[in-house]
Amino acid sequence: MIVPIRRSTRTSRWALLPAAVILIVLGYLPYLAEQSTTNTMIDFFILLILGITWNMLAGYAGLVSVGQQAYVGIGAYGVLWLAQRGVNPFVGLPIAAVFCAVVAVPVSYLVFRLRGGYFAIGTWAVAEVFALLTIRSSALGGGTGTNLPGLDGYDPVLLGAMTYWAALAVAVLTLIGCYLLLRTRVGLALTAVRDDETAARAVGVAVPRAKRIVYLAAAIGAGGSGALLAISQLNIEAGNVYGVQWSAYMIFVVLIGGIGTLEGPIIGTIVFFTLQQTLASHGAWYLIIVGSVAVIMAVWVRRGLWGLLDRFGLRLFPVGYRVGEQPVPERS
């Protein structure tokens, strides 16, 4: 008997219909809910994008970066720079995201010379350098920031809905893009790198190439998030978009949800926003509780919340190979 090797699972196949329903409901949300709800969902999508792309770095490539806010800032200021030259911010969003990948190419050659904790510190230092360079530019508002031009003529309700749809589109494209990337040979290479980089090199895996592809993809995602942040807030200030809190949020949602899975950042983002909306009015207790949850998960539930479900064989986004449920008879 030949045991078939499959990628999809029963869970992933059955999840297609609910996923389509959820996507349709999310698309109609501006017609069903108040603008405050859609504004909250924009923030949700921004953090989800950051969590998914950071998880690719740390969970699949072993690149624990605390400097992804560099590309959040570049994406935000990229939209601002384009808008100052007459480009509609919604049109400038993908341009700014791609520009982040262009910037990430030389940066990757610099930070990839570092390993472990040195890599993490190096990425943070790069983010600080970009922040300082931005602050020195008076055309970009300097240290006090500036307003985003090009959206003054829009009705506020329409602008809120367009921003929401843009955030939803970027989040869906990011999730699908990461899923498809991880199902390619690059994804297989990253799995080998994550398990044992030395062994992966020994069997011929192009480790630097695989890592660089993921690093550039993560830069595009962070840049898109920064562009969405600029459009949603209509004001860009370096201390906000280059703030290290963005890396803290990314790490939190991935740690809570489950590192090394595409489902984990989704669960983690939901938990984060639930805690935020529930506890934000409690002042310092909010930070204490969120920090305590992170410590508990790191110590006792290292695979995250999705890891607890994964023991039952659940896979919504299967990117690896698995043994099929039914054996296939050999042909005579």
Side-chain angles (χ1 to χ4, degrees):
M1 302 294 286
I2 300 175
V3 179
I5 303 298
R6 298 191 177 101
R7 280 192 163 182
S8 63
T9 64
R10 288 194 180 98
T11 306
S12 64
R13 292 191 291 268
W14 281 104
L16 290 176
L17 181 59
V21 173
I22 292 173
L23 186 59
I24 292 173
V25 173
L26 289 175
Y28 273 92
L29 190 62
Y31 300 105
L32 306 173
E34 297 181 356
Q35 189 168 354
S36 60
T37 302
T38 57
N39 290 339
T40 301
M41 290 302 297
I42 291 171
D43 295 335
F44 176 90
F45 292 138
I46 289 174
L47 186 55
L48 177 61
I49 296 165
L50 292 172
I52 292 172
T53 53
W54 190 87
N55 181 56
M56 276 208 314
L57 282 176
Y60 288 93
L63 299 172
V64 182
S65 169
V66 294
Q68 289 305 102
Q69 64 270 18
Y71 303 109
V72 175
I74 294 173
Y77 277 100
V79 164
L80 172 63
W81 187 86
L82 291 169
Q84 289 175 338
R85 284 149 183 81
V87 179
N88 186 287
F90 290 103
V91 177
L93 190 158
I95 300 175
V98 173
F99 177 70
C100 287
V102 175
V103 174
V105 173
V107 172
S108 67
Y109 283 96
L110 174 65
V111 296
F112 280 8
R113 298 174 64 88
L114 307 173
R115 293 288 184 274
Y118 295 103
F119 173 84
I121 296 173
T123 56
W124 173 79
V126 168
E128 290 300 305
V129 168
F130 281 122
L132 292 173
L133 291 174
T134 303
I135 290 173
R136 293 179 61 87
S137 174
S138 59
L140 297 177
T144 58
T146 186
N147 294 325
L148 179 69
L151 298 175
D152 299 336
Y154 286 87
D155 176 77
V157 176
L158 176 61
L159 178 59
M162 291 178 62
T163 305
Y164 169 84
W165 285 321
L168 174 61
V170 174
V172 171
L173 289 175
T174 300
L175 181 60
I176 295 175
C178 291
Y179 174 64
L180 295 177
L181 176 63
L182 293 174
R183 287 172 65 90
T184 64
R185 290 187 177 183
V186 173
L188 291 175
L190 290 174
T191 302
V193 171
R194 178 184 61 187
D195 293 340
D196 191 323
E197 181 174 338
T198 302
R201 290 178 183 273
V203 297
V205 174
V207 175
R209 175 179 175 272
K211 285 186 174 182
R212 184 162 289 109
I213 290 174
V214 172
Y215 187 76
L216 299 186
I220 292 176
S225 297
L228 288 169
L229 187 66
I231 295 173
S232 64
Q233 296 184 352
L234 299 178
N235 182 273
I236 303 96
E237 195 270 318
N240 178 27
V241 295
Y242 284 110
V244 72
Q245 77 272 7
W246 293 112
S247 283
Y249 294 158
M250 299 178 216
I251 295 171
F252 179 86
V253 300
V254 173
L255 182 67
I256 295 297
I259 192 169
T261 66
L262 284 177
E263 300 88 351
I266 300 174
I267 301 296
T269 305
I270 293 173
V271 171
F272 177 83
F273 267 83
T274 301
L275 292 174
Q276 186 182 62
Q277 298 300 313
T278 305
L279 304 173
S281 60
H282 291 73
W285 281 105
Y286 160 66
L287 299 176
I288 294 173
I289 294 175
V290 170
S292 299
V293 170
V295 171
I296 291 171
M297 298 297 295
V299 175
W300 285 290
V301 193
R302 296 185 179 181
R303 295 186 62 195
L305 294 175
W306 187 257
L308 297 176
L309 300 175
D310 188 42
R311 66 182 61 184
F312 301 106
L314 297 178
R315 275 285 190 271
L316 299 180
F317 301 98
V319 296
Y321 293 92
R322 60 188 293 122
V323 177
E325 294 87 351
Q326 298 296 329
V328 178
E330 294 186 14
R331 294 183 179 181
S332 57

